[in-house]
Amino acid sequence: MSIEDRYKLNKEITLIDIANELNVSKSTVSRALQNHHSIGAETTKAVHELAKKYNYQPNAIASSLFKKSTKTIGVIVPILSHYFFSTVIAGIEDVAYKAGYKVIICQSHELYEREVIVSKTLLSAKVDGLIVSVSKETVNMDHFQQFLDKNIPLIFFDRLPTGIQSNSVSVDDYEGAFKIVEHLIEQGCKRIAHFTGPLNIALAQNRLQGYKDALRKHHIPVNDELIYECGFERTQGITTTEKLLTDQVSVDAIFAVCDPVAIGVMLTLKQKSIKIPHDIAVVGFNDDPTATVIDPPLTTVAQPAFEIGVAAADIFLKQVIGPSRSYIKEVLKTNLTIRQSSLRKNR
Amino acid sequence: MSIEDRYKLNKEITLIDIANELNVSKSTVSRALQNHHSIGAETTKAVHELAKKYNYQPNAIASSLFKKSTKTIGVIVPILSHYFFSTVIAGIEDVAYKAGYKVIICQSHELYEREVIVSKTLLSAKVDGLIVSVSKETVNMDHFQQFLDKNIPLIFFDRLPTGIQSNSVSVDDYEGAFKIVEHLIEQGCKRIAHFTGPLNIALAQNRLQGYKDALRKHHIPVNDELIYECGFERTQGITTTEKLLTDQVSVDAIFAVCDPVAIGVMLTLKQKSIKIPHDIAVVGFNDDPTATVIDPPLTTVAQPAFEIGVAAADIFLKQVIGPSRSYIKEVLKTNLTIRQSSLRKNR
DNA sequence: TATATTTACGCAACCGGTTGTGTAAATATA
DNA sequence: TATATTTACACAACCGGTTGCGTAAATATA
């Protein structure tokens, strides 16, 4: 069948079609499209013209098979519909796109099993690299080991795993927590509760530690009754606040592990007519867009989500170009963003 | 090299490695892994055992090349970090995952050129289907035509294109707008402004039309001075509100094309100490999580974002199984969600 | 016992690019 | 003029699975 016929029938146009039309071999066409020097100028021109005329789209699959590079980066996040994660992905995508990479995104839905399955899928899909924020259930990291074994760049962000050495991008959770708790103390708070994330996750541990150390620095005893293991969701912020109120625990501030939880806390307190920050000050972590919507606006620790994505993708590109034995651990700075939800002193 | 050696060296284990080890042909191994009836029970068992022992991962690329199916769905959204889009994607991913499909997500960043490029990339990547919400710049749809030509299922959602016949999933924007404007009228509003989206987008047109028809039904003249072309972003809601206030246009309600805009409106009004809903009622469209955070909570039209994703992926699956000449146009119902931002009557 | 059928597997082509090697013709150098 | 080099292209192997077809041996049927 002629290339003309195939084109009209919406058949896939391949190198062979172009080769047949020009009476050259497909290797010549392949090289001509790459502007290889060993192909004559006229031939090269003719090939490019035909390719354009018939809207030739190279089959990336075939190319990948031989080149062993799919030009794709796999990304696994616990949940896509959180502003933090979707913004990180936007950062990854931005860098990847400019470097000619596609991005395959998977959600673990905070489920360990699902994380294992999608990581296998991405391994089979031969992604050139993997960027991950692990699920809150994940303790065993074996499913990631294979990427390291096969020298596929592996970069963790935000939720860093324990017990596996690899590249990572995170923020200084300890310092962020320390600063925001210190800020609460400066505002006169003395009984500061902390709603933590799942404690198998390093960032939750680090924020907790920052909280404790800030208290100790200011000679405020750390009271385990003020530490509630919570989670990352607004709903968990709501239920934990209700628990705290039923427990009749007296507090003058709540430091939530992240903004969605802080929002849940504030909504619950407001519903019970507890004044923020007068009765209880509330602070979070992340600087979600919602932080400026709630009344009073939420004091929080701003994380550069987009930049985290950019940094992760940059590490990927570095490792692809020159794979190295050493790991890159990047820790970005946070920014204490003070708003009304924590301001108890008159100014 | 023996399979044992290759395994230890972290080399890729292939069908051939297993075949050599068992002294059978690779076609036998391939069939054994598929539990093909023509392969003996013992051989099948031995193959599976070896595959497991050496953690054999089939090369999906090689398989795709022959089968002409990559088991991936491409998704193009304008922007990922909007709750609506990330939730739709979650819905798509949910269905896709269960059916054994991966999802490649791309952002157009509301740029026509970028949309063209990513659609070409996805075409080269041989996605089995494409689900799209077009960018606000997009007028020309030629880049999508190729998917139709090649019988690759193409499904639009939310932002439906004009001038191209294809599958689509949307909500009844007209009806949603009509109902919410009617609600405002019932609350006694007479000078209702509308902040529209870009008017080349069908949904913006439909919501505008719903707005106009609701006014007409209740014998309120449509006043072009009350219609502001705005956009989909919170920032645009802020600037447009500022414009309206400088224009000294007198209104008693604002119907924003979507919740982010409505939030921008409310924040601006609150900043100017304009009482909501007493002075000006505000309503949106989408039911973002933020709608319940702002004070007063935002009256809005709830769109089933997750279900939209599910519906789009379901259409894809249907078309993959039995490609048909006809298109599926699914229109989901919206839900008027009344909160305090629009309640002007005492109850 | 002779023929038909089933079982179990190998061979080789195929998917669509990519690239190392070979070679004839054209040009350059000795 | 004889040899060396460059130019421009073809051939074929290759990437790693998949599948149609062929066939010998084992079993079933007549």
mmCIF file of all heavy atoms in Angstrom, chain A residues 34-58:
data_model
loop_
_atom_site.group_PDB
_atom_site.id
_atom_site.type_symbol
_atom_site.label_atom_id
_atom_site.label_comp_id
_atom_site.label_asym_id
_atom_site.label_seq_id
_atom_site.Cartn_x
_atom_site.Cartn_y
_atom_site.Cartn_z
ATOM 1 N N GLN A 34 17.094 12.358 12.097
ATOM 2 C CA GLN A 34 17.972 12.818 13.171
ATOM 3 C C GLN A 34 19.035 13.768 12.631
ATOM 4 O O GLN A 34 19.975 14.122 13.340
ATOM 5 C CB GLN A 34 18.667 11.626 13.824
ATOM 6 C CG GLN A 34 17.714 10.603 14.396
ATOM 7 C CD GLN A 34 18.437 9.351 14.864
ATOM 8 O OE1 GLN A 34 19.285 9.399 15.747
ATOM 9 N NE2 GLN A 34 18.130 8.221 14.241
ATOM 10 N N ASN A 35 18.914 14.108 11.348
ATOM 11 C CA ASN A 35 19.897 14.968 10.693
ATOM 12 C C ASN A 35 21.310 14.433 10.850
ATOM 13 O O ASN A 35 22.256 15.171 11.118
ATOM 14 C CB ASN A 35 19.812 16.397 11.238
ATOM 15 C CG ASN A 35 18.506 17.068 10.843
ATOM 16 O OD1 ASN A 35 18.092 16.983 9.683
ATOM 17 N ND2 ASN A 35 17.831 17.674 11.796
ATOM 18 N N HIS A 36 21.414 13.165 10.659
ATOM 19 C CA HIS A 36 22.725 12.516 10.777
ATOM 20 C C HIS A 36 23.598 12.938 9.592
ATOM 21 O O HIS A 36 23.134 13.039 8.461
ATOM 22 C CB HIS A 36 22.511 11.003 10.772
ATOM 23 C CG HIS A 36 23.700 10.223 11.239
ATOM 24 N ND1 HIS A 36 24.773 9.956 10.435
ATOM 25 C CD2 HIS A 36 23.975 9.668 12.437
ATOM 26 C CE1 HIS A 36 25.667 9.252 11.111
ATOM 27 N NE2 HIS A 36 25.199 9.069 12.332
ATOM 28 N N HIS A 37 24.889 13.179 9.863
ATOM 29 C CA HIS A 37 25.764 13.751 8.827
ATOM 30 C C HIS A 37 26.002 12.801 7.656
ATOM 31 O O HIS A 37 26.328 13.222 6.555
ATOM 32 C CB HIS A 37 27.119 14.136 9.432
ATOM 33 C CG HIS A 37 27.915 12.948 9.897
ATOM 34 N ND1 HIS A 37 27.852 12.495 11.198
ATOM 35 C CD2 HIS A 37 28.741 12.125 9.248
ATOM 36 C CE1 HIS A 37 28.637 11.444 11.317
ATOM 37 N NE2 HIS A 37 29.194 11.192 10.155
ATOM 38 N N SER A 38 25.805 11.515 7.921
ATOM 39 C CA SER A 38 26.138 10.567 6.857
ATOM 40 C C SER A 38 25.032 10.451 5.802
ATOM 41 O O SER A 38 25.124 9.656 4.884
ATOM 42 C CB SER A 38 26.425 9.189 7.462
ATOM 43 O OG SER A 38 25.222 8.550 7.762
ATOM 44 N N ILE A 39 23.987 11.229 5.972
ATOM 45 C CA ILE A 39 22.913 11.205 4.972
ATOM 46 C C ILE A 39 22.986 12.489 4.139
ATOM 47 O O ILE A 39 23.177 13.587 4.673
ATOM 48 C CB ILE A 39 21.531 11.116 5.671
ATOM 49 C CG1 ILE A 39 21.468 9.891 6.582
ATOM 50 C CG2 ILE A 39 20.414 11.073 4.633
ATOM 51 C CD1 ILE A 39 21.678 8.561 5.888
ATOM 52 N N GLY A 40 22.868 12.329 2.837
ATOM 53 C CA GLY A 40 22.989 13.465 1.931
ATOM 54 C C GLY A 40 21.939 14.532 2.176
ATOM 55 O O GLY A 40 20.858 14.256 2.678
ATOM 56 N N ALA A 41 22.281 15.733 1.822
ATOM 57 C CA ALA A 41 21.408 16.877 2.081
ATOM 58 C C ALA A 41 20.062 16.719 1.380
ATOM 59 O O ALA A 41 19.009 16.969 1.973
ATOM 60 C CB ALA A 41 22.090 18.166 1.633
ATOM 61 N N GLU A 42 20.112 16.277 0.140
ATOM 62 C CA GLU A 42 18.859 16.146 -0.600
ATOM 63 C C GLU A 42 17.946 15.100 0.010
ATOM 64 O O GLU A 42 16.748 15.314 0.182
ATOM 65 C CB GLU A 42 19.150 15.766 -2.059
ATOM 66 C CG GLU A 42 19.645 16.927 -2.893
ATOM 67 C CD GLU A 42 20.025 16.466 -4.293
ATOM 68 O OE1 GLU A 42 19.281 15.634 -4.865
ATOM 69 O OE2 GLU A 42 21.078 16.906 -4.797
ATOM 70 N N THR A 43 18.527 13.966 0.314
ATOM 71 C CA THR A 43 17.739 12.894 0.928
ATOM 72 C C THR A 43 17.118 13.374 2.237
ATOM 73 O O THR A 43 15.930 13.170 2.490
ATOM 74 C CB THR A 43 18.631 11.666 1.200
ATOM 75 O OG1 THR A 43 19.323 11.335 0.001
ATOM 76 C CG2 THR A 43 17.801 10.495 1.660
ATOM 77 N N THR A 44 17.941 14.007 3.039
ATOM 78 C CA THR A 44 17.455 14.504 4.321
ATOM 79 C C THR A 44 16.263 15.441 4.120
ATOM 80 O O THR A 44 15.240 15.325 4.803
ATOM 81 C CB THR A 44 18.583 15.251 5.057
ATOM 82 O OG1 THR A 44 19.672 14.354 5.251
ATOM 83 C CG2 THR A 44 18.106 15.753 6.407
ATOM 84 N N LYS A 45 16.413 16.314 3.166
ATOM 85 C CA LYS A 45 15.334 17.273 2.912
ATOM 86 C C LYS A 45 14.059 16.561 2.470
ATOM 87 O O LYS A 45 12.964 16.828 2.979
ATOM 88 C CB LYS A 45 15.797 18.255 1.821
ATOM 89 C CG LYS A 45 14.846 19.396 1.566
ATOM 90 C CD LYS A 45 15.566 20.591 0.943
ATOM 91 C CE LYS A 45 14.563 21.643 0.467
ATOM 92 N NZ LYS A 45 14.246 21.507 -0.979
ATOM 93 N N ALA A 46 14.229 15.642 1.550
ATOM 94 C CA ALA A 46 13.063 14.915 1.032
ATOM 95 C C ALA A 46 12.347 14.163 2.148
ATOM 96 O O ALA A 46 11.108 14.144 2.219
ATOM 97 C CB ALA A 46 13.507 13.955 -0.065
ATOM 98 N N VAL A 47 13.133 13.566 3.030
ATOM 99 C CA VAL A 47 12.541 12.814 4.146
ATOM 100 C C VAL A 47 11.750 13.743 5.056
ATOM 101 O O VAL A 47 10.602 13.461 5.413
ATOM 102 C CB VAL A 47 13.636 12.083 4.955
ATOM 103 C CG1 VAL A 47 13.085 11.591 6.281
ATOM 104 C CG2 VAL A 47 14.202 10.917 4.153
ATOM 105 N N HIS A 48 12.372 14.851 5.405
ATOM 106 C CA HIS A 48 11.667 15.793 6.281
ATOM 107 C C HIS A 48 10.377 16.300 5.644
ATOM 108 O O HIS A 48 9.362 16.457 6.324
ATOM 109 C CB HIS A 48 12.582 16.974 6.625
ATOM 110 C CG HIS A 48 13.485 16.703 7.787
ATOM 111 N ND1 HIS A 48 14.819 16.401 7.638
ATOM 112 C CD2 HIS A 48 13.241 16.630 9.116
ATOM 113 C CE1 HIS A 48 15.355 16.186 8.831
ATOM 114 N NE2 HIS A 48 14.420 16.314 9.743
ATOM 115 N N GLU A 49 10.441 16.515 4.364
ATOM 116 C CA GLU A 49 9.240 17.022 3.700
ATOM 117 C C GLU A 49 8.104 15.997 3.713
ATOM 118 O O GLU A 49 6.963 16.319 4.009
ATOM 119 C CB GLU A 49 9.565 17.431 2.258
ATOM 120 C CG GLU A 49 10.160 18.828 2.196
ATOM 121 C CD GLU A 49 10.693 19.167 0.810
ATOM 122 O OE1 GLU A 49 10.513 18.347 -0.112
ATOM 123 O OE2 GLU A 49 11.310 20.236 0.672
ATOM 124 N N LEU A 50 8.475 14.766 3.398
ATOM 125 C CA LEU A 50 7.447 13.718 3.414
ATOM 126 C C LEU A 50 6.883 13.525 4.814
ATOM 127 O O LEU A 50 5.682 13.347 5.000
ATOM 128 C CB LEU A 50 8.039 12.400 2.914
ATOM 129 C CG LEU A 50 7.795 12.049 1.450
ATOM 130 C CD1 LEU A 50 8.089 10.580 1.223
ATOM 131 C CD2 LEU A 50 6.350 12.327 1.057
ATOM 132 N N ALA A 51 7.782 13.545 5.796
ATOM 133 C CA ALA A 51 7.354 13.344 7.184
ATOM 134 C C ALA A 51 6.346 14.408 7.563
ATOM 135 O O ALA A 51 5.331 14.136 8.200
ATOM 136 C CB ALA A 51 8.566 13.387 8.119
ATOM 137 N N LYS A 52 6.629 15.616 7.148
ATOM 138 C CA LYS A 52 5.728 16.718 7.480
ATOM 139 C C LYS A 52 4.406 16.562 6.722
ATOM 140 O O LYS A 52 3.322 16.693 7.305
ATOM 141 C CB LYS A 52 6.393 18.041 7.110
ATOM 142 C CG LYS A 52 5.512 19.241 7.352
ATOM 143 C CD LYS A 52 6.305 20.421 7.842
ATOM 144 C CE LYS A 52 5.410 21.419 8.552
ATOM 145 N NZ LYS A 52 6.109 22.640 8.924
ATOM 146 N N LYS A 53 4.537 16.276 5.441
ATOM 147 C CA LYS A 53 3.355 16.162 4.597
ATOM 148 C C LYS A 53 2.365 15.129 5.134
ATOM 149 O O LYS A 53 1.161 15.356 5.157
ATOM 150 C CB LYS A 53 3.790 15.788 3.179
ATOM 151 C CG LYS A 53 2.627 15.590 2.203
ATOM 152 C CD LYS A 53 3.128 15.378 0.792
ATOM 153 C CE LYS A 53 1.974 15.033 -0.148
ATOM 154 N NZ LYS A 53 2.494 14.550 -1.455
ATOM 155 N N TYR A 54 2.917 13.998 5.561
ATOM 156 C CA TYR A 54 2.040 12.927 6.030
ATOM 157 C C TYR A 54 1.932 12.887 7.550
ATOM 158 O O TYR A 54 1.511 11.895 8.122
ATOM 159 C CB TYR A 54 2.500 11.586 5.467
ATOM 160 C CG TYR A 54 2.316 11.526 3.964
ATOM 161 C CD1 TYR A 54 3.418 11.527 3.109
ATOM 162 C CD2 TYR A 54 1.046 11.517 3.412
ATOM 163 C CE1 TYR A 54 3.252 11.499 1.737
ATOM 164 C CE2 TYR A 54 0.867 11.490 2.048
ATOM 165 C CZ TYR A 54 1.964 11.485 1.209
ATOM 166 O OH TYR A 54 1.786 11.469 -0.148
ATOM 167 N N ASN A 55 2.384 13.957 8.164
ATOM 168 C CA ASN A 55 2.218 14.094 9.611
ATOM 169 C C ASN A 55 2.763 12.877 10.361
ATOM 170 O O ASN A 55 2.090 12.293 11.206
ATOM 171 C CB ASN A 55 0.745 14.296 9.924
ATOM 172 C CG ASN A 55 0.555 14.851 11.314
ATOM 173 O OD1 ASN A 55 1.493 15.413 11.886
ATOM 174 N ND2 ASN A 55 -0.615 14.676 11.862
ATOM 175 N N TYR A 56 3.978 12.528 10.006
ATOM 176 C CA TYR A 56 4.604 11.370 10.646
ATOM 177 C C TYR A 56 4.852 11.634 12.125
ATOM 178 O O TYR A 56 5.438 12.645 12.493
ATOM 179 C CB TYR A 56 5.937 11.065 9.944
ATOM 180 C CG TYR A 56 6.826 10.111 10.705
ATOM 181 C CD1 TYR A 56 6.543 8.751 10.753
ATOM 182 C CD2 TYR A 56 7.951 10.573 11.376
ATOM 183 C CE1 TYR A 56 7.349 7.889 11.451
ATOM 184 C CE2 TYR A 56 8.768 9.712 12.085
ATOM 185 C CZ TYR A 56 8.460 8.371 12.126
ATOM 186 O OH TYR A 56 9.265 7.516 12.824
ATOM 187 N N GLN A 57 4.392 10.720 12.963
ATOM 188 C CA GLN A 57 4.653 10.799 14.406
ATOM 189 C C GLN A 57 5.463 9.587 14.791
ATOM 190 O O GLN A 57 4.978 8.465 14.694
ATOM 191 C CB GLN A 57 3.338 10.778 15.200
ATOM 192 C CG GLN A 57 2.374 11.897 14.891
ATOM 193 C CD GLN A 57 2.776 13.211 15.523
ATOM 194 O OE1 GLN A 57 3.668 13.244 16.382
ATOM 195 N NE2 GLN A 57 2.167 14.296 15.086
ATOM 196 N N PRO A 58 6.690 9.780 15.217
ATOM 197 C CA PRO A 58 7.494 8.607 15.564
ATOM 198 C C PRO A 58 6.838 7.804 16.674
ATOM 199 O O PRO A 58 6.192 8.362 17.556
ATOM 200 C CB PRO A 58 8.827 9.209 16.032
ATOM 201 C CG PRO A 58 8.532 10.633 16.328
ATOM 202 C CD PRO A 58 7.389 11.033 15.450
#
